[in-house]
């Protein structure tokens, strides 16, 4: 997902001697990556959530709670969220053939569309 994120029009990558930062340019907020791993059952739930309309996704999480992340899992969710919660990039992977393979293409959300993803953390 790093390549897709760096190519996104509203993300600027700033490199210094000791760090690399992703900045969401409309608000100048730093975006940080979060990696969550899930068991097969919880991972399939995450996959269903990602395929729902955003308003239904938020309602589903509020009613049934967020999926439970674990230390090691068959599913891996990579999420990049700006500090001001105005930008989010998300991609889900599934482990197979000794590597994590993308379940979906990277998805980018801005503004109020980011809110359901904050509930996953």
């Amino acid at each position: 997902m790093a390549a897709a994120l760096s190519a996104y029009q509203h993300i600027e990558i700033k490199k210094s001697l000791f760090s690399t930062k992703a900045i969401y340019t409309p608000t100048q907020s730093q975006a940080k990556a979060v990696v969550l791993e899930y068991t097969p059952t919880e991972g399939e739930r995450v996959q269903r959530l990602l395929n729902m309309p955003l308003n239904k996704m938020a309602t589903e999480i509020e009613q049934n709670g967020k999926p439970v992340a674990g230390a090691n899992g068959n599913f891996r969710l990579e999420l990049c969220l700006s500090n001001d919660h105005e930008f989010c990039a998300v991609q889900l992977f599934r482990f197979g053939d000794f590597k994590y393979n993308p379940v979906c293409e990277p998805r980018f959300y801005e503004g109020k569309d980011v809110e359901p993803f904050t509930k996953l953390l």
Side-chain angles (χ1 to χ4, degrees):
M1 184 169 80
L5 184 64
S6 64
Y8 189 67
Q9 64 185 355
H10 294 295
I11 292 292
E12 179 183 354
I13 304 299
K14 292 186 177 182
K15 294 183 179 185
S16 67
L17 186 60
F18 297 109
S19 68
T20 302
K21 295 179 183 177
I23 305 296
Y24 177 57
T25 55
T27 62
Q28 292 300 308
S29 180
Q30 183 176 347
K32 295 188 178 177
V34 177
V35 176
L36 302 169
E37 293 191 13
Y38 299 96
T39 63
T41 304
E42 291 296 302
E44 288 176 11
R45 182 170 173 230
V46 171
Q47 186 174 1
R48 283 192 306 276
L49 286 169
L50 293 177
N51 289 328
M52 289 180 180
L54 294 176
N55 59 344
K56 287 186 179 181
M57 179 182 169
T59 303
E60 171 72 20
I61 293 170
E62 287 173 9
Q63 290 177 349
N64 299 317
K66 67 180 182 178
V68 179
N72 288 325
N74 289 44
F75 284 86
R76 175 184 175 133
L77 181 68
E78 293 184 3
L79 189 115
C80 187
L81 183 65
S82 66
N83 289 339
D84 62 3
H85 294 184
E86 289 294 316
F87 170 79
C88 178
V90 64
Q91 187 172 17
L92 184 65
F93 297 85
R94 184 177 201 154
F95 192 78
D97 297 328
F98 299 103
K99 65 179 180 175
Y100 282 99
N101 300 299
V103 172
C104 62
E105 295 296 317
R107 299 175 186 177
F108 301 96
Y109 301 93
E110 297 183 50
K112 65 180 178 68
D113 292 341
V114 174
E115 184 183 343
F117 298 97
T118 62
K119 297 178 186 310
L120 290 173
L121 303 175

